[in-house]
Amino acid sequence: QVKLVESGGALVQAGGSLKLSCAASGRLFSNFAMGWFRQAPGKGREFVALLTWRHGRTDYADSVKGRFTISRDSAENTVYLQMNSLKPEDTAVYYCAGDQMAPDDGSTWDGHYDYWGQGTQVTVSA
């Protein structure tokens, strides 16, 4: 069993920055990957970014490329999402998710993920 705990959500002005954290506890398989997803009010959950444990590969949604960066502290089993140049449309509940059997390049499909955090609210004001 893997437990994920997110933190870092807040209210920020457009153009500002925020850093989310997700700490994983429990046994992580060698093919483990961590993803960030978000869900805005009235919308479905969408992929934001991912990082694979074995090779450190990353992937981003087109809407956040160049603005968001996913990174990790392997010793602490913690993944970070640095969000810069935030826009009002980035407002959402952000979830981290763990995939124990991720493909080599990771998966952008939320159905592939086994474990989910409780979510953290990010609100970007205009």
Side-chain angles (χ1 to χ4, degrees):
Q1 191 76 4
V2 174
K3 183 179 179 182
L4 304 175
V5 179
E6 303 125 332
S7 61
L11 170 64
V12 64
Q13 288 188 329
S17 297
L18 209 55
K19 189 173 185 177
L20 306 182
S21 300
C22 178
S25 60
R27 182 186 174 198
L28 306 184
F29 292 175
S30 58
N31 280 7
F32 185 78
M34 191 85 85
W36 285 98
F37 293 79
R38 66 186 182 186
Q39 187 165 18
K43 295 187 178 181
R45 187 160 56 191
E46 66 171 351
F47 166 75
V48 176
L50 68 85
L51 185 148
T52 65
W53 240 236
R54 177 176 287 178
H55 301 294
R57 291 176 180 163
T58 60
D59 194 8
Y60 299 90
D62 288 342
S63 58
V64 307
K65 278 181 182 175
R67 300 189 298 123
F68 290 12
T69 302
I70 189 169
S71 62
R72 67 175 169 178
D73 180 337
S74 298
E76 297 294 331
N77 282 348
T78 299
V79 167
Y80 304 98
L81 186 67
Q82 177 67 46
M83 305 185 293
N84 299 328
S85 303
L86 282 162
K87 305 175 182 179
E89 50 263 45
D90 293 318
T91 294
V93 177
Y94 283 71
Y95 299 91
C96 68
D99 183 355
Q100 288 281 41
M101 297 299 292
D104 286 348
D105 292 332
S107 175
T108 62
W109 176 47
D110 60 356
H112 212 279
Y113 288 77
D114 310 288
Y115 304 100
W116 292 83
Q118 79 283 1
T120 186
Q121 177 70 47
V122 172
T123 303
V124 184
S125 62

